[in-house]
Amino acid sequence: MFIVGLTGGIGSGKSTVARMFEQQGIVTIDADDVAREVVEPGEPALEKIFEHFGDALRDEDGRLNRAVLRERIFQDASERQWLETLLHPIIRDRITQHLENAASDYALLVSPLLLETDQHQLCQRIAVVDVPESVQIERTMARDSNDRAQVERIMAAQMPREKRLAGADDVIDNNQPESQVKAQVLELHQQYLGLARHKSQGTSQQTPDR
């Protein structure tokens, strides 16, 4: 399976771009969805989180209060490190399972932490959705009703924009009208189809070791 990693900072519009790929019939695996999946009631990771942080993070229905957790970990770097050490390997394993079941010409792995974690090692190509930092702040404040200070703390915990762009094979400028963004996606889609077919042909021509 040829896998394209799609990443970008908070508020950059990764989900919007991912939907454009989905409209072309491409299976997308969203690491944020997987991260929520592995802390659902009954998952071992959830109980470890409650043991560590206490029942203040437990909703009345037994689910994780993600807003309280987010506030805790972005106020204390050591707590964020503890959580990442617990969850990142679990999330990666679950992502791998989903990718193995993907049924399209190539698969798209959408992850805000693609380059910060070893998730990028699962990918043959990295695409970064990019907007100016001022746009990230405005969009996130409007979307999540967070104040500017909270958004800036989240951005400070993420990879700097320049470093993210340096890790990109392809950049999608999402500070443009939707029609222009979609044109970029369609062009990349054709490129990825070609790369996926080339990889598939190369694999089929390999002779197994005896």
Side-chain angles (χ1 to χ4, degrees), residues 5 24 43 87 110 167 199:
Q24 305 309 309
E43 292 281 351
L87 291 181
V110 185
K199 180 178 185 291

Side-chain angles (χ1 to χ4, degrees), residues 2 10 17 26 33-34 50 58 104 139 143 194:
F2 188 83
I10 188 171
V17 171
I26 299 305
D33 291 342
V34 176
F50 289 152
R58 192 193 300 266
S104 57
R139 288 181 178 175
R143 182 190 68 191

Side-chain angles (χ1 to χ4, degrees), residues 177-195:
E178 183 176 336
S179 61
Q180 295 182 29
V181 177
K182 189 166 186 177
Q184 295 176 70
V185 169
L186 291 175
E187 182 177 349
L188 286 173
H189 172 62
Q190 292 302 318
Q191 180 182 342
Y192 297 154
L193 284 175
L195 290 169

Side-chain angles (χ1 to χ4, degrees), residues 2-209:
F2 188 83
I3 301 168
V4 177
L6 184 72
T7 192
I10 188 171
S12 61
K14 294 182 297 298
S15 297
T16 298
V17 171
R19 281 194 294 272
M20 293 178 180
F21 280 100
E22 287 179 338
Q23 290 167 0
Q24 305 309 309
I26 299 305
V27 172
T28 65
I29 309 301
D30 191 317
D32 280 346
D33 291 342
V34 176
R36 285 187 283 271
E37 179 184 315
V38 301
V39 293
E40 284 291 310
E43 292 281 351
L46 181 61
E47 292 308 314
K48 291 181 180 179
I49 290 170
F50 289 152
E51 289 172 8
H52 181 81
F53 289 101
D55 282 342
L57 270 66
R58 192 193 300 266
D59 279 344
E60 292 181 359
D61 59 2
R63 293 182 177 274
L64 178 65
N65 189 322
R66 298 175 64 85
V68 175
L69 176 62
R70 184 184 300 118
E71 184 177 351
R72 290 278 292 274
I73 64 175
F74 283 110
Q75 289 179 348
D76 188 331
S78 65
E79 295 285 43
R80 187 176 75 249
Q81 179 62 44
W82 181 90
L83 187 68
E84 290 174 351
T85 300
L86 169 68
L87 291 181
H88 284 177
I90 299 171
I91 292 169
R92 190 185 194 277
D93 288 346
R94 193 69 61 88
I95 286 171
T96 301
Q97 293 174 20
H98 288 308
L99 288 170
E100 288 174 350
N101 294 322
S104 57
D105 291 314
Y106 63 90
L108 195 73
L109 170 56
V110 185
S111 175
L113 298 176
L114 187 77
L115 296 172
E116 289 94 325
T117 67
D118 61 0
Q119 292 174 13
H120 65 275
Q121 296 174 0
L122 299 169
C123 307
Q124 286 76 53
R125 195 85 180 174
I126 304 294
V128 169
V129 182
D130 183 59
V131 296
E133 292 179 351
S134 59
V135 175
Q136 288 183 252
I137 294 172
E138 292 168 5
R139 288 181 178 175
T140 306
M141 289 175 63
R143 182 190 68 191
D144 298 339
S145 299
N146 286 333
D147 60 30
R148 178 177 292 270
Q150 173 73 354
V151 176
E152 289 177 345
R153 281 196 295 271
I154 294 171
M155 290 175 61
Q158 294 185 336
M159 179 176 286
R161 181 187 180 196
E162 295 77 12
K163 189 173 181 181
R164 187 183 301 115
L165 289 170
D169 296 303
D170 306 297
V171 177
I172 300 169
D173 182 357
N174 198 24
N175 194 32
Q176 297 187 28
E178 183 176 336
S179 61
Q180 295 182 29
V181 177
K182 189 166 186 177
Q184 295 176 70
V185 169
L186 291 175
E187 182 177 349
L188 286 173
H189 172 62
Q190 292 302 318
Q191 180 182 342
Y192 297 154
L193 284 175
L195 290 169
R197 288 166 185 159
H198 179 74
K199 180 178 185 291
S200 177
Q201 290 168 0
T203 300
S204 64
Q205 291 170 4
Q206 290 177 355
T207 301
D209 294 334

